[in-house]
Amino acid sequence: MGELPLPPLALYVHLPWCERKCPYCDFNSHESRNLPETAYIDSLLADLEADLPFVQGRVIQTLFIGGGTPSLFSAAGIGRLMQGIGQRVALADALEATLEANPGSAEAEKFAGFRAAGINRLSLGIQSFQNEQLAALGRVHDSDQAHAAVAAARRAGFQRINLDLMHGLPAQGASAAMADLATASGYQTGHLSWYQLTIEQNTVFYKQPPILPVEDVLADIQDAGEIQLAAAGLEQYEVSAWAAAGEQCRHNLNYWQFGDYLGIGAGAHGKVSFSDGRIMRYAKRRQPDAYLAAAGDWRVQSQWLTDAEKPGEYMLNALRLNSGFALADYAARTGLPPSTLQPALDTLTARGLLLQEGTRVRASALGRRFLDSVITEFLA
Amino acid sequence: MSDLSHIRNFSIIAHIDHGKSTLADRFIQHCGGLSAREMNAQVLDSMDIERERGITIKAQSVTLNYTARDGQIYQLNFIDTPGHVDFSYEVSRSLSACEGALLVVDAGQGVEAQSVANCYTAIEQGLEVLPILNKMDLPQADPDKVRKEIEEIIGIDATEACLVSAKSGMGIEDALEYLVENIPPPEGDREAPLQALIIDSWFDNYLGVVSLVRVKQGVLRKRDKIMPKSTRKVHQVDGVGIFTPKRLETGILQAGEVGFVVAGIKEIQGAPVGDTLVNAQHPDVAALPGFKKIKPQVYAGIFTISSDDYEDFRDALAKLTLNDASLFYEPETSDALGFGFRCGFLGMLHMEIIQERLEREYDLDLITTAPTVIYEVVKKNGDIVQVDNPSRLPEVGDIQEMREPIARCNILVPQDYLGNVITLCVEKRGTQKDMLFLGTQVSVVYDIPMAEVVLDFFDRLKSVSRGYASLDYSFDRFETASLSRLDVMINGERVDALAIIVHHDHVQHRGRVLTEKMKELIPRQMFDVAIQAAVGGKIVARQTVKALRKNVTAKCYGGDASRKKKLLEKQKAGKKRMKQVGNVEIPQSAFLAVLKVDG
């Protein structure tokens, strides 16, 4: 096998604290009053240095600070973090730098500072514009704060704003879900992440399940929402992501296109390719205390993907995109010949789940609805 | 070594839960067969399944040395017997090695039908039957009532019956004395050439075939050249001895004794149960009467989930049949399930136990199809065929008449529950043959179609009588009946492995309940799945498993990918345990759905 071109590289930064843990959230987040902000930023930068061999001469194209609730950090802290990152890795001129923010009033006051620190895209965890839904989700903000946060983000100079919305909430009917969508798209922020509430293991909701809408209502909400968002001029480009022209989240696109990313911070995951075709996944120490005390020993799991795993891993990401993937990209990103995929592709095409158009492959409308079943066919 | 007058060979006849295993353990303990530390509760039930289910399936033996009150040492050979209604055949095998039997009856509950049937077998075989009333420590014990019942129902004298509590240890020595005094010693000429009956054989991975034998005449020694009468192949005896219950090499077994023999027999049909062992120097010694071949009552197809396991499955069945002559099997091919075996069983419990043993001891993943009894079909051309597989039923147009097997059911029930039991028998298409009031119990005799009996009759009988009714049944005759094959179609495709034969009156009901049950068991898929029950071309019931509307993971970003992948991999592993019929994935459990169809 010859040398493979390395995929684009992104950087993910995890800030693991929240004011309060939401009952549906299974991300690595921890409740805390007193954030060890300074010490944590020091660790993040040292952690990044330890990952530098994985950069392999590449420029960071996108950066995403997620959580937890990154907006709990001070603007000065985010500034020092951004500066520190810039001193250690090369950042693209057109760097996309996203920060996740909670729409609370305390956070909104910091938005201008985040902007000044070099953050150019804000992702607001709105979830719903209706108070009873927000209460049911255990969110700390209310509807007024949600509206105020969008305005504050605009005032702070953010051109690119994502609104995170959830649907299929306890006792939510199709009309309430559509009202939320209408409110959100009315802000014309250019990007919406709209995803169905799912009950994950290791959450409060898993142990004490809320009463969720029945499957038919959920499917009706999905169908109606897709129509409404298209009418609002937003294009669905992924299972749960909608954007105006040119406003897609480049950081997330990189995941779904099976690009590379470094992950720094407690519980952060990374994926790195090498020109000989090997692909490594790794994770950092998950507990914030352990991470802070790790001193040089942040990376705890690293694992090489086997050739048998690669097709499933690729499809798990690439088929989420409405545009699918090009067979040449599959070969470049996995180092495997597309010919081995062909029997599965043909079977799924015959079942009406995939579309093969020239050298591109994508899920059909039916395939998008049963994407898990489609992806399962590629798993080892 | 004991002379014949100091040997006693006996079995224990008891209903499940009447305390047979506990009593046996007490005997072993009293005679010092095992130290207290080794007395793993109920040592004789040696298969895991036996211990878990609290029943005995296979004959086992133990040799004990008992020092009687007269100062003499007696060799007691206890041959265990199974206690469940499905296994009455095994009982007569164990009894053939004995001169006597202890009838153990729960002093609170009284006599049960199963024990009655086994007592009659013992008496027919010329055994001395000694009544023992167990559980005397319980407040509800009523020895006078139970003594009377034994005399009225079984017809043996119970005035001398021993009163014991196996649990507390009360009366154990009295019972042993009673046994030594009343069970006759075996007879047999030790100078005559060898003649030994194989009571049981099983396969040991290290030793090959191990046989439990009763020496009728002559002597069996280590290094003797012996041959089974059926194969006439000569083998050298590598080991001979007794169970204490640990295997103990003694180098010799003499006429009147019971013990094991190992003779390097590797092929599993080399020493069949019921066969006679003779010395190779005296090949013409007559064969002992063996055991009558028992006909299985219940048939089902068993298939491996993965076709790779087929060879292992075949070997496992061969090994199981070595010491379970009642297990029948022959290859079967199903459109839906591939290659497997049609197996015949004594009853449902037997079937469950075989399936469990195959899965547990041989590590096989299996699908069992709906059990059926054997039907007799008279064709228009006059041929009479027996059908043990619904999918092999001749074309409807070729059938002149169908006959179903009828079981004669002897039921013993306390008067309070008589009404419930009669209602149940009527529901199961039974015809009353006899009714007799015996003290507080009633003996009722019904003729009931075997298909109804083997399905869930025993369980239902127990539940309508709070556990007090007991049952013994046997095949009686074939009788003309109005029967049809109920087919199941999945998305229009007939699934051969799901077909069942049912009585006309039950077609609608069974069809409806079966399709409803299947609907619960078949997971929702990308398309609607139609489940239809049909007789001939006529649909009698239909259910639809509605298609899923979507199946997609809402959120997946970089860090989630590994976790989401694991979830999908788990789902995929679950699917591998399903059978694909056409486009439809059907789980294992759906093939047994018919069992859950009540009445």
Side-chain angles (χ1 to χ4, degrees):
Chain A
M1 191 187 300
E3 296 254 307
L4 287 170
L6 293 176
L9 183 65
L11 172 62
Y12 177 76
V13 183
H14 194 76
L15 306 187
W17 289 284
C18 281
E19 197 178 322
R20 197 167 80 205
K21 176 110 184 163
C22 298
Y24 57 85
C25 173
D26 70 332
F27 285 173
N28 186 26
S29 59
H30 304 266
E31 290 185 18
S32 176
R33 292 286 115 85
N34 303 306
L35 303 187
E37 188 176 298
T38 307
Y40 191 73
I41 292 170
D42 290 343
S43 291
L44 284 174
L45 294 173
D47 180 4
L48 175 60
E49 276 178 27
D51 274 0
L52 286 179
F54 298 149
V55 174
Q56 304 173 85
R58 285 174 286 184
V59 172
I60 302 286
Q61 302 295 328
T62 63
L63 180 153
F64 195 105
I65 306 177
T69 310
S71 54
L72 289 179
F73 273 52
S74 70
I78 297 297
R80 187 162 77 85
L81 174 64
M82 292 294 286
Q83 203 179 5
I85 291 170
Q87 286 162 353
R88 286 165 178 82
V89 289
L91 301 173
D93 293 339
L95 178 78
E96 177 191 274
T98 308
L99 179 129
E100 281 184 333
N102 194 46
S105 27
E107 285 92 346
E109 290 168 14
K110 305 177 192 167
F111 287 175
F114 293 148
R115 183 74 192 87
I119 302 296
N120 56 25
R121 188 173 178 275
L122 207 58
S123 177
L124 292 172
I126 302 285
Q127 314 316 352
S128 172
F129 285 102
Q130 289 157 43
N131 280 333
E132 62 267 42
Q133 308 287 10
L134 289 169
L137 285 174
R139 298 291 298 188
V140 290
H141 69 275
D142 63 18
S143 170
D144 289 345
Q145 286 173 315
H147 286 287
V150 183
R154 284 260 163 76
R155 271 201 313 279
F158 281 101
Q159 307 286 319
R160 303 186 67 202
I161 300 168
N162 167 54
L163 304 183
D164 252 6
L165 284 179
M166 293 169 83
H167 64 87
L169 305 177
Q172 185 187 48
S175 59
M178 292 312 107
D180 266 348
L181 270 190
T183 308
S185 57
Y187 276 115
Q188 300 197 326
T189 58
H191 197 283
L192 283 184
S193 293
W194 185 57
Y195 53 90
Q196 184 187 323
L197 169 64
T198 43
I199 306 300
E200 307 285 350
Q201 274 188 37
N202 307 317
T203 63
V204 172
F205 276 177
Y206 188 80
K207 282 174 224 124
Q208 296 149 18
I211 298 167
L212 298 178
V214 297
E215 196 215 3
D216 270 336
V217 172
L218 293 173
D220 287 346
I221 291 176
Q222 183 77 34
D223 292 348
E226 289 182 8
I227 292 165
Q228 185 170 326
L229 289 170
L234 292 169
E235 192 193 358
Q236 183 179 16
Y237 67 100
E238 189 262 353
V239 173
S240 304
W242 279 258
E247 289 299 315
Q248 300 176 339
C249 175
R250 283 164 47 212
H251 185 83
N252 287 341
L253 265 183
N254 183 60
Y255 291 140
W256 298 322
Q257 290 166 345
F258 216 51
D260 278 3
Y261 48 95
L262 305 179
I264 60 172
H269 289 246
K271 167 189 171 268
V272 187
S273 306
F274 296 87
S275 56
D276 60 3
R278 289 178 306 153
I279 299 172
M280 188 181 92
R281 285 199 179 279
Y282 65 81
K284 299 293 170 62
R285 260 179 214 287
R286 194 173 156 84
Q287 289 301 321
D289 290 346
Y291 177 84
L292 280 163
D297 188 23
W298 298 281
R299 201 161 53 234
V300 285
Q301 303 164 25
S302 354
Q303 182 199 340
W304 297 103
L305 290 189
T306 63
D307 281 355
E309 287 175 305
K310 286 177 185 173
E313 293 256 348
Y314 187 85
M315 297 303 166
L316 183 69
N317 287 288
L319 286 175
R320 295 184 70 81
L321 293 169
N322 287 35
S323 60
F325 63 94
L327 289 171
D329 287 340
Y330 171 80
R333 295 285 156 92
T334 63
L336 300 174
S339 54
T340 54
L341 279 184
Q342 208 56 50
L345 294 180
D346 290 345
T347 307
L348 290 163
T349 303
R351 288 168 65 189
L353 296 165
L354 287 185
L355 299 168
Q356 298 185 63
E357 293 156 335
T359 58
R360 289 196 73 84
V361 177
R362 63 187 174 97
S364 66
L366 179 69
R368 286 207 301 275
R369 282 203 286 131
F370 293 102
L371 198 59
D372 284 357
S373 311
V374 175
I375 291 163
T376 303
E377 298 295 320
F378 295 98
L379 294 177
Chain B
M1 234 200 275
S2 312
D3 66 73
L4 285 163
S5 66
H6 286 74
I7 297 176
R8 299 290 182 272
N9 295 316
F10 70 102
S11 282
I12 299 180
I13 295 170
H15 193 79
I16 302 175
D17 295 337
H18 282 199
K20 181 187 63 177
S21 299
T22 320
L23 183 64
D25 291 350
R26 284 291 175 193
F27 286 170
I28 294 169
Q29 216 175 9
H30 187 90
C31 299
L34 283 177
S35 68
R37 191 177 50 81
E38 289 170 318
M39 281 306 290
N40 183 0
Q42 303 189 355
V43 286
L44 277 179
D45 295 347
S46 72
M47 281 193 270
D48 284 352
I49 297 173
E50 291 185 350
R51 203 162 303 155
E52 276 168 32
R53 296 194 177 218
I55 53 171
T56 307
I57 304 161
K58 298 305 305 168
Q60 299 278 340
S61 80
V62 58
T63 300
L64 301 169
N65 286 318
Y66 171 62
T67 310
R69 287 180 188 147
D70 61 10
Q72 309 266 350
I73 295 174
Y74 291 86
Q75 183 194 92
L76 308 184
N77 294 310
F78 166 46
I79 295 101
D80 202 8
T81 55
H84 189 274
V85 60
D86 276 4
F87 298 103
S88 37
Y89 154 72
E90 303 264 352
V91 173
S92 67
R93 246 167 65 183
S94 306
L95 294 179
S96 67
C98 304
E99 282 74 41
L102 306 183
L103 167 66
V104 176
V105 181
D106 183 320
Q109 290 204 29
V111 178
E112 306 237 12
Q114 178 78 59
S115 303
V116 177
N118 289 337
C119 268
Y120 288 155
T121 310
I123 293 165
E124 269 168 37
Q125 295 188 9
L127 271 62
E128 190 68 34
V129 177
L130 308 180
I132 294 204
L133 307 190
N134 191 22
K135 305 202 183 181
M136 283 302 297
D137 56 314
L138 297 180
Q140 63 266 37
D142 187 350
D144 292 336
K145 188 195 98 183
V146 174
R147 268 197 204 101
K148 219 174 131 206
E149 249 186 45
I150 292 174
E151 293 181 350
E152 282 180 350
I153 299 175
I154 303 175
I156 58 173
D157 180 11
T159 43
E160 299 285 304
C162 254
L163 305 183
V164 308
S165 164
K167 202 173 144 207
S168 74
M170 163 196 158
I172 297 301
E173 198 179 315
D174 292 342
L176 288 165
E177 284 293 319
Y178 182 50
L179 183 164
V180 166
E181 279 167 29
N182 292 288
I183 292 180
E187 291 168 3
D189 181 359
R190 289 183 169 174
E191 307 304 320
L194 174 71
Q195 189 189 39
L197 179 66
I198 301 179
I199 305 163
D200 200 0
S201 286
W202 57 95
F203 194 84
D204 183 291
N205 280 333
Y206 299 101
L207 303 172
V209 174
V210 180
S211 297
L212 180 70
V213 298
R214 160 73 193 268
V215 181
K216 292 285 185 180
Q217 64 173 41
V219 178
L220 180 59
R221 281 195 189 82
K222 191 167 175 173
R223 278 186 290 280
D224 277 355
K225 297 266 197 293
I226 55 159
M227 60 179 236
K229 287 290 281 189
S230 69
T231 66
R232 303 193 72 85
K233 277 191 191 155
V234 176
H235 303 274
Q236 177 170 303
V237 176
D238 298 329
V240 60
I242 54 171
F243 295 102
T244 68
K246 290 176 289 188
R247 197 170 60 213
L248 178 73
E249 293 258 358
T250 57
I252 183 167
L253 280 178
Q254 307 190 75
E257 292 182 321
V258 176
F260 68 84
V261 54
V262 178
I265 300 175
K266 296 296 175 206
E267 71 277 27
I268 46 194
Q269 295 308 337
V273 169
D275 206 349
T276 304
L277 290 179
V278 299
N279 195 299
Q281 288 170 354
H282 301 278
D284 296 326
V285 170
L288 293 158
F291 307 111
K292 71 168 183 222
K293 271 271 179 195
I294 189 105
K295 235 179 143 34
Q297 302 293 349
V298 181
Y299 291 80
I302 305 187
F303 298 83
T304 53
I305 292 201
S306 157
S307 53
D308 301 344
D309 291 340
Y310 180 77
E311 297 288 315
D312 291 344
F313 180 31
R314 198 182 49 200
D315 292 348
L317 279 173
K319 281 182 185 167
L320 284 183
T321 42
L322 174 69
N323 71 337
D324 188 346
S326 53
L327 172 64
F328 157 91
Y329 67 100
E330 67 180 15
E332 176 181 0
T333 313
S334 153
D335 297 338
L337 300 176
F339 292 106
F341 291 93
R342 174 112 312 228
C343 300
F345 310 96
L346 299 172
M348 291 295 293
L349 181 71
H350 190 209
M351 175 174 117
E352 282 170 36
I353 285 167
I354 293 291
Q355 174 160 19
E356 231 175 287
R357 286 188 67 186
L358 288 166
E359 297 200 327
R360 212 184 286 192
E361 293 169 27
Y362 298 91
D363 202 19
L364 296 164
D365 270 341
L366 303 170
I367 289 184
T368 305
T369 65
T372 178
V373 296
I374 202 155
Y375 292 93
E376 214 171 67
V377 180
V378 183
K379 292 169 71 175
K380 289 203 168 133
N381 64 9
D383 290 354
I384 295 179
V385 289
Q386 296 216 320
V387 176
D388 62 14
N389 184 346
S391 66
R392 300 264 180 76
L393 199 65
E395 293 295 317
V396 180
D398 295 340
I399 298 176
Q400 178 72 39
E401 180 181 297
M402 281 186 68
R403 298 171 181 163
E404 67 177 335
I406 304 293
R408 173 70 46 99
C409 298
N410 297 300
I411 301 164
L412 271 181
V413 59
Q415 285 182 23
D416 292 353
Y417 305 104
L418 181 61
N420 290 352
V421 167
I422 289 176
T423 308
L424 175 66
C425 290
V426 169
E427 181 196 317
K428 296 291 187 184
R429 300 191 279 132
T431 318
Q432 199 181 98
K433 288 289 159 190
D434 197 8
M435 180 165 358
L436 219 69
F437 286 77
L438 304 158
T440 55
Q441 292 218 71
V442 187
S443 158
V444 262
V445 181
Y446 265 88
D447 279 358
I448 304 178
M450 187 66 88
E452 308 285 347
V453 177
V454 296
L455 248 191
D456 61 353
F457 183 68
F458 186 61
D459 295 338
R460 293 278 307 279
L461 185 71
K462 284 282 169 197
S463 83
V464 301
S465 67
R466 296 216 184 156
Y468 284 112
S470 56
L471 166 74
D472 180 66
Y473 68 87
S474 55
F475 169 79
D476 192 67
R477 65 185 184 280
F478 278 102
E479 199 172 273
T480 304
S482 178
L483 300 163
S484 311
R485 186 176 71 204
L486 187 66
D487 287 321
V488 174
M489 296 189 290
I490 305 282
N491 277 359
E493 205 174 314
R494 187 170 87 86
V495 184
D496 57 358
L498 287 170
I500 52 172
I501 291 173
V502 291
H503 193 265
H504 275 327
D505 296 349
H506 291 172
V507 159
Q508 288 286 341
H509 178 75
R510 288 265 164 97
R512 186 167 51 75
V513 182
L514 180 58
T515 50
E516 279 168 5
K517 196 75 208 174
M518 299 277 294
K519 184 189 171 180
E520 284 169 31
L521 294 169
I522 295 179
R524 298 173 64 189
Q525 329 219 339
M526 261 184 255
F527 38 82
D528 283 357
V529 177
I531 306 161
Q532 292 166 307
V535 170
K538 189 173 156 252
I539 307 295
V540 297
R542 182 196 159 105
Q543 289 287 331
T544 305
V545 179
K546 291 292 286 175
L548 280 173
R549 287 196 48 188
K550 61 194 179 93
N551 176 24
V552 49
T553 302
K555 254 182 147 174
C556 183
Y557 302 105
D560 301 329
S562 319
R563 248 180 336 149
K564 304 292 184 200
K565 193 182 78 171
K566 275 191 194 116
L567 286 175
L568 292 180
E569 280 168 347
K570 236 169 135 181
Q571 286 173 22
K572 183 163 187 165
K575 276 187 172 184
K576 276 190 182 155
R577 290 185 55 89
M578 297 199 204
K579 273 282 177 181
Q580 189 99 14
V581 175
N583 274 334
V584 185
E585 279 148 352
I586 304 182
Q588 241 175 320
S589 53
F591 290 93
L592 274 176
V594 66
L595 281 185
K596 315 289 189 299
V597 180
D598 198 22

